Amino acid sequence: MTATLSAGLAGGTQRSTPDPQAAGEAPERPRAPAGRPSRGRPYATGLVTLWLSLVVLLPLAALTVTSTEHGWGGFWDALSAPSALAALRVTVLVAAVVAVLNAVMGTLLAWVLVRDDFPGKAVVNALIDLPFALPTIVASIVLLSLYGPDSPIHVQLNATRYGLVVALAFVTLPFVVRSVQPVLIEADKEVEEAAASLGAGGLTIFRRVILPTLGPAIISGTGLAFARAIGEFGSVVLIGGNIPRHTQVASQYIQQQIEIDQPVNAAAVSVALLAMAFLTLFVLRLVSARSLRREAAS
Amino acid sequence: MITVTGARKSYGAFAALDGVSIDIPAGSLTALLGPSGSGKSTLLRSVAGLEGLDEGSVVINGKDVTGIPPQQRGIGFVFQHYAAFKHMTVRDNVAFGLRIRRRPKTEIARKVDELLEIVGLAGFQHRYPAQLSGGQRQRMALARALAVDPEVLLLDEPFGALDAQVRADLRRWLRRLHDEVHVTTVLVTHDQEEALDVADRIAVLNKGRIEQVGDPQALYDRPANDFVMSFLGQVAHLGGRLVRPHDIVLSRDRAEAYAADARVTGSPGVVSAQVDRIVRLGFEVRVELTSEEGSRLEVQTTRGTADELALLPGETVFARVAHPVAEALAG
Amino acid sequence: MRTSTSARWSLRLLALAYLTALLAVPVVLILWRTFELGLGAFLASVQTPAAISALNLSLFIVAVVVPLNVVFGIVTALALVRGRFRGKGLLQAVVDLPFAVSPVVVGVSLILLWGAGGWFGALDRAGFKVIFGVPGMVLATLFVTLPFVVREVEPVLHEIGTDQEQAAATLGANGWQTFWRITLPALRWGLTYGVVLTVARALGEFGAVIMVSSGFAGVSQTLTLLVHSRYVDDQNTYGAYAAATLLMGLAVLTLLLMSVLNRTRRTT
C-alpha cells in the first residue's frame, strides 16, 4: 500500500521544481492571504448595499421625503385631519385590544399545548401556524363566511369594530403562542412543584412563579402582534367595511388617499404608522436586552 | 523542508508572531509546542497560507510561497475540529482534492481505497461524517489531506477534541504512519506529553517567539531556559533553582548530603525539609515536603529507594540534586 | 403545576373554543361552501380565463422573485456573517425592515418612487410602466419577501463556520469550487426553507400588490387580487370562496413542506 503512496508523494516533490518567478528575490506580494473563500469582500458589501437600497431604502426614502413635501406644517396638517386622526385612533385602539386578547389567549393556548394532553393535540398545534401561511385576503373571506352577511349562525360582525378585532386576532394568533411555547417547555417544573410544596395554591403559583418566567416572551409576542396589527390591510379590507371614523383603519385611509390622489396625506399617515411600528420593535428590543441581562446575572 | 524567516503577524495590538524563524527538515515530524496564545497555530496557518504574514517569508521545498494562496502550496492540512464535509460520504470527502484536480476516475477510486485502507476506514466509505466517532472523523480528515500527495502535512491540534484514550491511540498510529510515508509533518499541540511521544523534533513557542528547537531528549535534558524547562515536564524549586522532581536525591544523613554535594560545582546546595506525605503510585513514589524556608517541594523517586529510606511523615530529610544534573546546571 | 382536573378541563375547553370560533369553523365552513356544489363547480370556477391568468401572473411573480431572493439573499447573508465592515448593524436592521412595514405603506412607497409623479417618474413618462404594471408587482413582492432567505441562511452560515471552506482551499479548490461544492450544499436546507417562505408570501401578498396593480381581470390580477375583485366587484361570492380555497390549499401545502423540512434539517 505504501509503495504507491510514497511514489505519489515523491511525484509531489518533483512537481515543485522551483518556479522561476517565485525563486530568488521575492517581488512585491499581496499581503492579504489570497484564496480564502467567501470572505465578505468589498464588492459583495457594495452589491448588498445597492440591492437593499433599490428594493427597500429608496422607496421608504421617497415616502419620507414626500410626507414633508409641504413642509412640517403640511405634514402635521395631513396627520391631524379629522378623518386621518380618527383612522389612526381606531387602528391603535383595535390593535391594543387585539394585543391584550393575544396576551391572554395566546398564553392560555401555549399552556394547554405544553402542559395539557388530549387526543388531537398535534393537529391543534399545527393549526396555530395556519394564519401565518394563509394569505390575508383569504383570512378575510374565511371570517366573512362565518361572521359576514351570510352568517349561518346569524352573527354579523362585518362593518363593525368587533369584525376588525376578530380579523386581527386571526392573523396575529401565532405570535404569542409561538413565543411562549418554547419558554414554557424549557421552564423548570420543579420550581412550580417547590412552590406547591411550600403551600402555594394554583393561582398564586401562576401569578408568582409562572408569569414572571413567561413575562418577557408574552411581552415580545404581544408587541409583535401589535406591530403587525397596526399595519394590517388584507384581512380587514373586506370585513371592516371601511367606514370613515368608525371602522376605517390607517392602512385603508392611506389607500383611499392614494385613490383620490392625495399622496402627501397618504405619505404622512404612512410615516406615522412606520414610526409606531419602529417604536414598538425598539421597546421590545430594550425589554429583551434587559431580560437577557437579568438571565445572565442570575 | 520548510523554512520560515522573520515571520511577524499582529492582530491589532496583539503580536501573534514576533519575528519567528525556523527550519523544518524534510521528512521530519516536528511538533510546535506552546501554551495557548503562543503563536503556534498562527505559525502553522501561515505555512498553509490560511493566514497572511505581515512580514517574513515561507519557503517550502525551495519554493517561496509567501504570497501564494493555500490552493497552490502543495500542503495537506488537518483541522482540530476535523472540518469534515458533512454533506459528503467518507469516500467523497477523501476524493475531494483529487476531483478538484480532475484526476481520472479509476485513479481516484484506487487512491481512495488505498488511503481508506491505511487509515482503517475501509468499511466506512459510504457513511457520512455524522455517523463516525471523533477519532474516525479525524482519520478520515487525515486521509483526505494525504490524498493530494502533499509536500508537507500540517496538523493543527489534531487530537485536541478527542478523549484521552483515543488521543493516545491516534498519536501512536500517526507516528507509525509517518514512519511509513515520511512526509514532512508539522503538528501543533499544547500537550507536552503528546509532543514528546510523537515528534522527532520539538519547537517550543512562547509569546510569538521560538524559545528552543531540538530533539525531544535534548529539550528535556538541556532546556535553554526556565520556560522551556517548566513547559516540558514537571519541575520543582530547590535552593532557588528549577530542577526535575526525579533528579532530587533525599538522604537522612546531613553530613553525607553535604559531602556529596560539595564534590559538585555550581549545585543549588542542600536543603533540609520535613516530610508531609508519601504517595505510592505503583512503581513511582511521590514525597511531598516542606522546606526549611517554608516552600513546598515534591520529589519523585522509585519504590526501591523509598523503601531503603523508610521515610515517615514528620521526619526531617536533606535534599540535593543528583550529580550529572548538577553539572549540567552548572555548565 | 398541579392543576385540579376541573381547572385543567376548563382551561382546555376555553382554549379549544377560542380556536374553534376563530379558526376551525370558518375554515371548515368555507371548504363546505366551496364544495357543496360539487367538485365540478369548484374546478370550473378556478379555470375561468381570469382565474388562469391570475394563477399565471402569480406564478410569474414567484418565478422572478425567488431567484433574485436566492442570489441576493445568499450574498447578503455572507456579507452579514463573514464581512467585517462599518455599518453592519445598520445593514442588519435594513434587512429586518420589511417585517415592520405595513403592506399598504410598501405600495405607497413604491408609487412615490416609481409612479408618474415620483422620484423616478421620468421612466413612467417615457413609457416604461412600473406602477400599474407587472414590474411594480414584482418590486412590491420583492420588498415584502426580502428578509426570508437572508434570515434562514444566516444562522446556518454561523453554524458551519469557515473550517470546511478552509479545508477545501488547502485541498486545492478555488473560490467558486468551494462555494458550489462546500458552501452551497451546506446551506441547502436553510435555503430551501427560505425559498418555501418566500413562495408562500409571494403567492399570498395582497396589500402591497393591490396598491401598485391596475387590477384588470385577466391582465394584472394575481390570485389574491382575484379573490378580492370577485367578492367586491363581481359580487361573485362563490367564485371568491373557490379562489380562496385554492390559495388555502397552497398555504397548507407550504405548512406541510415546512414541517417536513424542519424534520429533515434536524436529522441531517
Side-chain angles (χ1 to χ4, degrees):
Chain A
M1 53 130 217
T2 45
T4 347
L5 189 63
S6 319
L9 290 169
T13 325
Q14 275 160 17
R15 202 157 19 95
S16 74
T17 37
D19 142 336
Q21 220 223 318
E25 275 300 312
E28 275 296 310
R29 294 180 189 288
R31 288 269 162 81
R36 209 168 317 163
S38 318
R39 285 279 145 142
R41 295 187 176 123
Y43 57 77
T45 312
L47 188 70
V48 167
T49 312
L50 191 71
W51 171 247
L52 290 177
S53 302
L54 195 68
V55 175
V56 176
L57 288 180
L58 265 176
L60 291 178
L63 176 84
T64 315
V65 171
T66 309
S67 71
T68 55
E69 212 169 71
H70 304 325
W72 284 104
F75 179 79
W76 285 120
D77 287 347
L79 269 193
S80 53
S83 50
L85 217 52
L88 283 170
R89 206 177 287 140
V90 171
T91 304
V92 172
L93 176 76
V94 173
V97 170
V98 168
V100 173
L101 186 65
N102 264 306
V104 177
M105 293 313 292
T107 309
L108 171 65
L109 275 165
W111 191 87
V112 169
L113 285 173
V114 173
R115 292 292 169 84
D116 201 359
D117 212 1
F118 51 91
K121 194 171 101 168
V123 178
V124 175
N125 191 28
L127 206 61
I128 300 285
D129 279 330
L130 190 64
F132 274 169
L134 215 55
T136 50
I137 189 72
V138 176
S140 221
I141 292 275
V142 162
L143 289 172
L144 268 179
S145 71
L146 181 62
Y147 302 116
D150 305 331
S151 172
I153 51 169
H154 306 292
V155 180
Q156 293 186 10
L157 299 178
N158 55 315
T160 68
R161 287 184 183 175
Y162 298 110
L164 293 177
V165 170
V166 170
L168 293 177
F170 182 97
V171 295
T172 58
L173 172 78
F175 284 109
V176 174
V177 183
R178 290 297 184 234
S179 79
V180 170
Q181 230 174 344
V183 183
L184 206 51
I185 290 171
E186 290 293 307
D188 194 354
K189 246 190 137 175
E190 282 182 10
V191 179
E192 292 163 36
E193 286 164 0
S197 76
L198 294 168
L203 259 181
T204 317
I205 293 174
F206 181 77
R207 221 160 34 92
R208 295 284 190 81
V209 181
I210 302 180
L211 212 52
T213 318
L214 300 183
I218 297 176
I219 292 173
S220 146
T222 308
L224 289 175
F226 180 80
R228 170 76 196 264
I230 55 173
E232 183 51 33
F233 178 70
S235 62
V236 296
V237 73
L238 297 182
I239 203 168
N242 201 9
I243 303 164
R245 300 189 200 202
H246 180 55
T247 62
Q248 185 181 60
V249 292
S251 57
Q252 288 174 312
Y253 176 81
I254 293 167
Q255 188 209 21
Q256 190 191 43
Q257 293 302 307
I258 286 291
E259 275 174 2
I260 60 171
D261 203 17
Q262 294 292 335
V264 176
N265 290 353
V269 177
S270 295
V271 168
L273 268 189
L274 269 181
M276 277 194 278
F278 288 161
L279 191 69
T280 312
L281 297 181
F282 180 69
V283 170
L284 283 187
R285 194 164 276 204
L286 288 187
V287 170
S288 83
R290 216 183 64 177
S291 73
L292 273 182
R293 269 207 306 278
R294 204 181 295 167
E295 194 122 300
S298 71
Chain B
M1 172 87 175
I2 304 170
T3 307
V4 178
T5 315
R8 282 177 198 282
K9 171 83 183 174
S10 302
Y11 300 102
F14 173 72
L17 293 179
D18 192 9
V20 169
S21 297
I22 186 174
D23 283 328
I24 292 162
S28 73
L29 201 173
T30 301
L32 303 180
L33 177 66
S36 62
S38 60
K40 55 190 190 307
S41 273
T42 309
L43 179 57
L44 190 81
R45 293 171 63 84
S46 312
V47 173
L50 293 168
E51 217 70 69
L53 290 175
D54 298 339
E55 265 176 57
S57 68
V58 179
V59 176
I60 298 177
N61 290 341
K63 182 180 169 191
D64 187 335
V65 295
T66 311
I68 291 179
Q71 287 89 340
Q72 293 153 29
R73 290 197 180 194
I75 50 148
F77 200 98
V78 174
F79 296 79
Q80 177 175 4
H81 298 288
Y82 328 123
F85 302 143
K86 291 187 182 126
H87 60 284
M88 294 183 194
T89 59
V90 169
R91 189 172 191 85
D92 291 340
N93 262 277
V94 177
F96 184 85
L98 296 168
R99 295 216 171 110
I100 291 290
R101 285 168 177 71
R102 300 185 191 288
R103 295 284 170 80
K105 278 215 167 74
T106 48
E107 185 197 325
I108 296 178
R110 189 175 43 78
K111 184 112 205 198
V112 171
D113 285 340
E114 186 186 302
L115 277 162
L116 288 175
E117 190 69 41
I118 295 177
V119 301
L121 288 174
F124 296 86
Q125 47 172 318
H126 296 301
R127 295 227 188 153
Y128 284 91
Q131 300 163 305
L132 300 181
S133 72
Q136 289 170 331
R137 268 183 241 182
Q138 199 56 296
R139 278 184 282 151
M140 178 193 83
L142 209 54
R144 185 175 69 181
L146 285 171
V148 297
D149 294 333
E151 295 175 38
V152 297
L153 181 61
L154 308 171
L155 308 135
D156 190 2
E157 300 255 9
F159 313 129
L162 304 167
D163 54 45
Q165 186 56 45
V166 183
R167 260 177 106 99
D169 289 349
L170 260 187
R171 72 186 181 224
R172 248 154 250 157
W173 175 84
L174 175 70
R175 181 68 237 182
R176 279 202 307 276
L177 182 81
H178 182 261
D179 291 342
E180 287 175 49
V181 300
H182 292 301
V183 56
T184 309
T185 303
V186 187
L187 168 106
V188 158
T189 179
H190 64 265
D191 180 348
Q192 44 102 3
E193 193 191 322
E194 187 166 294
L196 289 170
D197 188 359
V198 81
D200 43 40
R201 277 168 57 85
I202 296 177
V204 179
L205 277 91
N206 184 32
K207 295 181 181 161
R209 294 174 159 277
I210 291 191
E211 299 279 355
Q212 192 177 4
V213 187
D215 66 73
Q217 197 60 44
L219 257 64
Y220 189 85
D221 291 340
R222 293 184 297 282
N225 52 40
D226 285 357
F227 178 82
V228 176
M229 170 128 191
S230 48
F231 201 75
L232 215 70
Q234 290 173 305
V235 288
H237 288 266
L238 186 76
R241 293 274 193 81
L242 283 181
V243 292
R244 300 285 181 209
H246 52 73
D247 286 339
I248 299 175
V249 181
L250 298 175
S251 58
R252 287 173 165 278
D253 186 342
R254 173 196 273 272
E256 185 213 310
Y258 274 96
D261 194 55
R263 288 199 293 268
V264 188
T265 43
S267 92
V270 176
V271 173
S272 79
Q274 197 177 36
V275 176
D276 296 328
R277 202 162 89 100
I278 297 154
V279 187
R280 289 175 171 269
L281 303 158
F283 175 72
E284 180 198 327
V285 176
R286 198 168 70 215
V287 186
E288 296 173 10
L289 309 113
T290 307
S291 74
E292 57 199 342
E293 305 101 63
S295 61
R296 298 187 59 77
L297 180 66
E298 259 189 40
V299 175
Q300 269 175 325
T301 181
T302 60
R303 199 165 66 186
T305 319
D307 287 349
E308 245 169 68
L309 281 167
L311 292 172
L312 288 172
E315 288 181 317
T316 301
V317 289
F318 301 92
R320 62 184 165 86
V321 229
H323 282 176
V325 182
E327 269 147 19
L329 282 175
Chain C
M1 182 166 63
R2 244 161 227 266
T3 328
S4 66
T5 319
S6 62
R8 185 181 282 267
W9 267 95
S10 42
L11 289 176
R12 185 192 301 175
L13 272 179
L14 188 57
L16 292 182
Y18 183 73
L19 271 188
T20 308
L22 198 61
L23 261 176
V25 173
V27 168
V28 169
L29 189 63
I30 197 165
L31 286 177
W32 183 71
R33 286 203 170 155
T34 302
F35 293 110
E36 68 181 325
L37 303 177
L39 194 63
F42 167 71
L43 287 178
S45 181
V46 296
Q47 282 176 342
T48 65
I52 287 179
S53 141
L55 180 65
N56 284 340
L57 183 57
S58 281
L59 292 179
F60 175 78
I61 291 174
V62 167
V64 176
V65 165
V66 166
L68 283 173
N69 267 326
V70 165
V71 172
F72 286 102
I74 291 176
V75 176
T76 307
L78 278 170
L80 288 178
V81 174
R82 303 278 171 78
R84 265 169 252 125
F85 54 90
R86 283 148 139 282
K88 200 159 128 179
L90 202 68
L91 218 57
Q92 289 276 16
V94 174
V95 171
D96 279 334
L97 211 52
F99 282 146
V101 180
S102 161
V104 171
V105 174
V106 173
V108 174
S109 304
L110 289 173
I111 289 171
L112 296 177
L113 183 66
W114 298 97
W119 285 7
F120 297 163
L123 268 178
D124 193 276
R125 291 188 291 274
F128 183 71
K129 281 227 169 300
V130 174
I131 300 305
F132 304 128
V134 175
M137 297 162 90
V138 169
L139 280 171
T141 312
L142 272 179
F143 189 115
V144 297
T145 56
L146 183 113
F148 292 120
V149 171
V150 184
R151 287 294 175 242
E152 290 304 322
V153 166
E154 222 187 323
V156 187
L157 274 178
H158 263 298
E159 200 191 304
I160 60 173
T162 53
D163 265 16
Q164 292 185 47
E165 295 177 4
Q166 289 182 8
T170 65
L171 291 167
N174 63 32
W176 271 112
Q177 287 171 321
T178 304
F179 178 76
W180 284 107
R181 291 172 185 235
I182 305 299
T183 316
L184 201 58
L187 295 177
R188 65 199 188 286
W189 295 121
L191 188 62
T192 314
Y193 201 80
V195 167
V196 170
L197 292 175
T198 304
V199 170
R201 184 67 198 263
L203 286 176
E205 182 50 38
F206 172 72
V209 171
I210 198 174
M211 295 296 289
V212 296
S213 162
S214 54
F216 294 125
V219 183
S220 51
Q221 270 182 0
T222 61
L223 279 177
T224 53
L225 300 191
L226 179 78
V227 172
H228 181 249
S229 83
R230 275 184 174 177
Y231 194 88
V232 175
D233 307 330
D234 311 344
Q235 305 287 324
N236 175 3
T237 313
Y238 176 76
Y241 287 159
T245 300
L246 181 67
L247 275 169
M248 199 151 62
L250 292 172
V252 171
L253 200 66
T254 312
L255 278 183
L256 286 176
L257 266 177
M258 277 159 62
S259 75
V260 169
L261 279 174
N262 256 335
R263 224 164 289 158
T264 323
R265 246 198 318 196
R266 247 174 286 147
T267 50
T268 51

